[in-house]
Amino acid sequence: ALVARAWGAGERDEACRIAGRSLVLAPCLALPVFFLLQFLAPVAARFLNLEGEAYRIAVDYLRYDAFGHLFTSVLMIAGAALR
């Protein structure tokens, strides 16, 4: 919304500055969440009472999914800035 407001007001430099800061901030916030999810993946699998192969698959999946969130955060910010 901030980018759109600045763009609509004709303040292109301000819009680019806000978008740039958002794109830098997104991975900075996503990285701690990534590490938290890496740590909590086994906890989540145990919470679901998974054992053996199902446990291993669930932990692997949650960790790979957490990795994808790093890129998703940047893409969501970029998509919002382009609206």
Side-chain angles (χ1 to χ4, degrees):
L2 295 173
V3 174
R5 234 180 259 152
W7 191 270
E11 299 173 4
R12 306 289 195 249
D13 291 337
E14 178 72 7
C16 289
R17 186 180 61 78
I18 293 169
R21 285 186 181 175
S22 298
L23 287 171
V24 169
L25 187 60
C28 292
L29 294 175
L31 203 57
V33 172
F34 166 75
F35 286 117
L36 182 66
L37 291 173
Q38 292 292 314
F39 174 74
L40 291 178
V43 175
R46 287 281 178 221
F47 180 74
L48 295 171
N49 295 323
L50 298 176
E51 297 175 352
E53 186 71 11
Y55 173 83
R56 187 188 64 75
I57 291 171
V59 170
D60 286 347
Y61 173 80
L62 290 170
R63 287 183 171 160
Y64 286 127
D65 188 53
F67 183 71
H69 286 292
L70 292 172
F71 300 102
T72 302
S73 66
V74 174
L75 292 174
M76 288 179 66
I77 295 295
L82 291 174
R83 281 190 223 161

